[in-house]
PDB file of all heavy atoms in Angstrom:
ATOM      1  N   ASN A1030     146.976  80.958 -69.444  1.00 95.00           N
ATOM      2  CA  ASN A1030     146.081  80.536 -68.353  1.00 95.00           C
ATOM      3  C   ASN A1030     146.645  80.751 -66.954  1.00 95.00           C
ATOM      4  O   ASN A1030     145.927  80.566 -65.972  1.00 95.00           O
ATOM      5  CB  ASN A1030     145.729  79.052 -68.502  1.00 95.00           C
ATOM      6  CG  ASN A1030     145.062  78.742 -69.821  1.00 95.00           C
ATOM      7  OD1 ASN A1030     144.331  79.568 -70.364  1.00 95.00           O
ATOM      8  ND2 ASN A1030     145.314  77.559 -70.356  1.00 95.00           N
ATOM      9  N   GLY A1031     147.943  81.090 -66.846  1.00 96.00           N
ATOM     10  CA  GLY A1031     148.560  81.190 -65.531  1.00 96.00           C
ATOM     11  C   GLY A1031     148.960  79.818 -65.012  1.00 96.00           C
ATOM     12  O   GLY A1031     148.767  78.798 -65.675  1.00 96.00           O
ATOM     13  N   ILE A1032     149.516  79.787 -63.797  1.00 95.00           N
ATOM     14  CA  ILE A1032     149.961  78.525 -63.194  1.00 95.00           C
ATOM     15  C   ILE A1032     149.531  78.468 -61.732  1.00 95.00           C
ATOM     16  O   ILE A1032     149.193  79.484 -61.127  1.00 95.00           O
ATOM     17  CB  ILE A1032     151.494  78.366 -63.276  1.00 95.00           C
ATOM     18  CG1 ILE A1032     152.203  79.554 -62.600  1.00 95.00           C
ATOM     19  CG2 ILE A1032     151.945  78.226 -64.717  1.00 95.00           C
ATOM     20  CD1 ILE A1032     153.713  79.410 -62.537  1.00 95.00           C
ATOM     21  N   SER A1033     149.582  77.268 -61.165  1.00 92.00           N
ATOM     22  CA  SER A1033     149.290  77.111 -59.740  1.00 92.00           C
ATOM     23  C   SER A1033     150.304  77.905 -58.920  1.00 92.00           C
ATOM     24  O   SER A1033     151.487  77.925 -59.260  1.00 92.00           O
ATOM     25  CB  SER A1033     149.352  75.638 -59.337  1.00 92.00           C
ATOM     26  OG  SER A1033     148.397  74.873 -60.020  1.00 92.00           O
ATOM     27  N   PRO A1034     149.861  78.526 -57.834  1.00 93.00           N
ATOM     28  CA  PRO A1034     150.765  79.400 -57.057  1.00 93.00           C
ATOM     29  C   PRO A1034     151.709  78.639 -56.129  1.00 93.00           C
ATOM     30  O   PRO A1034     151.847  78.964 -54.945  1.00 93.00           O
ATOM     31  CB  PRO A1034     149.780  80.257 -56.266  1.00 93.00           C
ATOM     32  CG  PRO A1034     148.602  79.364 -56.048  1.00 93.00           C
ATOM     33  CD  PRO A1034     148.484  78.532 -57.312  1.00 93.00           C
ATOM     34  N   ILE A1035     152.375  77.617 -56.652  1.00 92.00           N
ATOM     35  CA  ILE A1035     153.287  76.804 -55.838  1.00 92.00           C
ATOM     36  C   ILE A1035     154.593  77.571 -55.632  1.00 92.00           C
ATOM     37  O   ILE A1035     155.208  78.024 -56.593  1.00 92.00           O
ATOM     38  CB  ILE A1035     153.584  75.462 -56.528  1.00 92.00           C
ATOM     39  CG1 ILE A1035     152.275  74.697 -56.791  1.00 92.00           C
ATOM     40  CG2 ILE A1035     154.528  74.614 -55.677  1.00 92.00           C
ATOM     41  CD1 ILE A1035     152.452  73.468 -57.656  1.00 92.00           C
ATOM     42  N   LYS A1091     151.889  70.991 -48.337  1.00 95.00           N
ATOM     43  CA  LYS A1091     150.639  70.692 -49.058  1.00 95.00           C
ATOM     44  C   LYS A1091     150.955  69.761 -50.218  1.00 95.00           C
ATOM     45  O   LYS A1091     152.008  69.871 -50.845  1.00 95.00           O
ATOM     46  CB  LYS A1091     150.005  71.967 -49.623  1.00 95.00           C
ATOM     47  CG  LYS A1091     149.434  72.916 -48.590  1.00 95.00           C
ATOM     48  CD  LYS A1091     148.809  74.120 -49.305  1.00 95.00           C
ATOM     49  CE  LYS A1091     148.278  75.136 -48.316  1.00 95.00           C
ATOM     50  NZ  LYS A1091     147.719  76.330 -49.009  1.00 95.00           N
ATOM     51  N   SER A1094     148.001  67.887 -55.400  1.00 91.00           N
ATOM     52  CA  SER A1094     146.565  67.901 -55.716  1.00 91.00           C
ATOM     53  C   SER A1094     145.871  69.100 -55.079  1.00 91.00           C
ATOM     54  O   SER A1094     144.960  69.693 -55.671  1.00 91.00           O
ATOM     55  CB  SER A1094     145.897  66.604 -55.247  1.00 91.00           C
ATOM     56  OG  SER A1094     146.436  65.489 -55.923  1.00 91.00           O
ATOM     57  N   GLN A1095     146.286  69.477 -53.876  1.00 94.00           N
ATOM     58  CA  GLN A1095     145.719  70.655 -53.219  1.00 94.00           C
ATOM     59  C   GLN A1095     146.100  71.935 -53.955  1.00 94.00           C
ATOM     60  O   GLN A1095     145.262  72.808 -54.183  1.00 94.00           O
ATOM     61  CB  GLN A1095     146.196  70.734 -51.766  1.00 94.00           C
ATOM     62  CG  GLN A1095     145.574  69.714 -50.831  1.00 94.00           C
ATOM     63  CD  GLN A1095     146.146  69.840 -49.425  1.00 94.00           C
ATOM     64  OE1 GLN A1095     147.298  69.466 -49.171  1.00 94.00           O
ATOM     65  NE2 GLN A1095     145.364  70.360 -48.508  1.00 94.00           N
ATOM     66  N   TRP A1096     147.365  72.045 -54.325  1.00 94.00           N
ATOM     67  CA  TRP A1096     147.822  73.234 -55.051  1.00 94.00           C
ATOM     68  C   TRP A1096     147.086  73.382 -56.375  1.00 94.00           C
ATOM     69  O   TRP A1096     146.714  74.494 -56.774  1.00 94.00           O
ATOM     70  CB  TRP A1096     149.327  73.150 -55.299  1.00 94.00           C
ATOM     71  CG  TRP A1096     150.173  73.448 -54.096  1.00 94.00           C
ATOM     72  CD1 TRP A1096     150.921  72.569 -53.369  1.00 94.00           C
ATOM     73  CD2 TRP A1096     150.360  74.726 -53.465  1.00 94.00           C
ATOM     74  NE1 TRP A1096     151.559  73.204 -52.338  1.00 94.00           N
ATOM     75  CE2 TRP A1096     151.238  74.534 -52.374  1.00 94.00           C
ATOM     76  CE3 TRP A1096     149.869  76.010 -53.719  1.00 94.00           C
ATOM     77  CZ2 TRP A1096     151.636  75.586 -51.543  1.00 94.00           C
ATOM     78  CZ3 TRP A1096     150.271  77.058 -52.892  1.00 94.00           C
ATOM     79  CH2 TRP A1096     151.141  76.838 -51.823  1.00 94.00           C
ATOM     80  N   HIS A1097     146.860  72.269 -57.064  1.00 90.00           N
ATOM     81  CA  HIS A1097     146.218  72.323 -58.374  1.00 90.00           C
ATOM     82  C   HIS A1097     144.751  72.726 -58.301  1.00 90.00           C
ATOM     83  O   HIS A1097     144.167  73.126 -59.315  1.00 90.00           O
ATOM     84  CB  HIS A1097     146.358  70.972 -59.084  1.00 90.00           C
ATOM     85  CG  HIS A1097     147.750  70.708 -59.568  1.00 90.00           C
ATOM     86  ND1 HIS A1097     148.185  69.462 -59.985  1.00 90.00           N
ATOM     87  CD2 HIS A1097     148.829  71.528 -59.701  1.00 90.00           C
ATOM     88  CE1 HIS A1097     149.450  69.539 -60.355  1.00 90.00           C
ATOM     89  NE2 HIS A1097     149.862  70.773 -60.179  1.00 90.00           N
ATOM     90  N   LYS A1098     144.145  72.617 -57.122  1.00 92.00           N
ATOM     91  CA  LYS A1098     142.754  73.051 -56.958  1.00 92.00           C
ATOM     92  C   LYS A1098     142.640  74.557 -56.734  1.00 92.00           C
ATOM     93  O   LYS A1098     141.549  75.117 -56.821  1.00 92.00           O
ATOM     94  CB  LYS A1098     142.123  72.304 -55.777  1.00 92.00           C
ATOM     95  CG  LYS A1098     141.859  70.820 -56.044  1.00 92.00           C
ATOM     96  CD  LYS A1098     141.318  70.123 -54.813  1.00 92.00           C
ATOM     97  CE  LYS A1098     141.131  68.639 -55.063  1.00 92.00           C
ATOM     98  NZ  LYS A1098     140.661  67.919 -53.838  1.00 92.00           N
ATOM     99  N   MET A1099     143.758  75.195 -56.448  1.00 94.00           N
ATOM    100  CA  MET A1099     143.762  76.637 -56.210  1.00 94.00           C
ATOM    101  C   MET A1099     143.754  77.386 -57.541  1.00 94.00           C
ATOM    102  O   MET A1099     144.216  76.876 -58.558  1.00 94.00           O
ATOM    103  CB  MET A1099     144.994  77.026 -55.382  1.00 94.00           C
ATOM    104  CG  MET A1099     145.033  76.367 -54.015  1.00 94.00           C
ATOM    105  SD  MET A1099     146.572  76.690 -53.121  1.00 94.00           S
ATOM    106  CE  MET A1099     146.358  78.422 -52.715  1.00 94.00           C
ATOM    107  N   PRO A1100     143.190  78.614 -57.568  1.00 95.00           N
ATOM    108  CA  PRO A1100     143.138  79.389 -58.825  1.00 95.00           C
ATOM    109  C   PRO A1100     144.538  79.665 -59.368  1.00 95.00           C
ATOM    110  O   PRO A1100     145.466  79.925 -58.604  1.00 95.00           O
ATOM    111  CB  PRO A1100     142.452  80.698 -58.401  1.00 95.00           C
ATOM    112  CG  PRO A1100     141.738  80.382 -57.126  1.00 95.00           C
ATOM    113  CD  PRO A1100     142.555  79.326 -56.446  1.00 95.00           C
ATOM    114  N   ASN A1101     144.669  79.588 -60.681  1.00 95.00           N
ATOM    115  CA  ASN A1101     145.941  79.907 -61.319  1.00 95.00           C
ATOM    116  C   ASN A1101     146.275  81.386 -61.171  1.00 95.00           C
ATOM    117  O   ASN A1101     145.382  82.225 -61.021  1.00 95.00           O
ATOM    118  CB  ASN A1101     145.902  79.552 -62.802  1.00 95.00           C
ATOM    119  CG  ASN A1101     146.045  78.060 -63.042  1.00 95.00           C
ATOM    120  OD1 ASN A1101     146.225  77.281 -62.112  1.00 95.00           O
ATOM    121  ND2 ASN A1101     145.973  77.640 -64.292  1.00 95.00           N
ATOM    122  N   GLU A1102     147.552  81.676 -61.253  1.00 95.00           N
ATOM    123  CA  GLU A1102     148.021  83.057 -61.166  1.00 95.00           C
ATOM    124  C   GLU A1102     149.014  83.348 -62.289  1.00 95.00           C
ATOM    125  O   GLU A1102     149.647  82.435 -62.808  1.00 95.00           O
ATOM    126  CB  GLU A1102     148.719  83.302 -59.810  1.00 95.00           C
ATOM    127  CG  GLU A1102     147.815  83.157 -58.607  1.00 95.00           C
ATOM    128  CD  GLU A1102     148.565  83.366 -57.296  1.00 95.00           C
ATOM    129  OE1 GLU A1102     149.804  83.544 -57.340  1.00 95.00           O
ATOM    130  OE2 GLU A1102     147.913  83.343 -56.233  1.00 95.00           O
ATOM    131  N   GLY A1103     149.117  84.631 -62.656  1.00 95.00           N
ATOM    132  CA  GLY A1103     150.193  85.060 -63.545  1.00 95.00           C
ATOM    133  C   GLY A1103     149.890  85.053 -65.026  1.00 95.00           C
ATOM    134  O   GLY A1103     150.797  85.283 -65.837  1.00 95.00           O
ATOM    135  N   ALA A1104     148.637  84.797 -65.422  1.00 96.00           N
ATOM    136  CA  ALA A1104     148.315  84.813 -66.851  1.00 96.00           C
ATOM    137  C   ALA A1104     148.548  86.208 -67.431  1.00 96.00           C
ATOM    138  O   ALA A1104     148.393  87.220 -66.742  1.00 96.00           O
ATOM    139  CB  ALA A1104     146.863  84.391 -67.071  1.00 96.00           C
TER     140      ALA A1104
END
Side-chain angles (χ1 to χ4, degrees):
N1030 301 327
I1032 57 175
S1033 298
I1035 302 171
K1091 291 181 183 178
S1094 297
Q1095 287 178 287
W1096 284 109
H1097 287 166
K1098 289 176 183 177
M1099 299 174 71
N1101 283 357
E1102 296 178 356

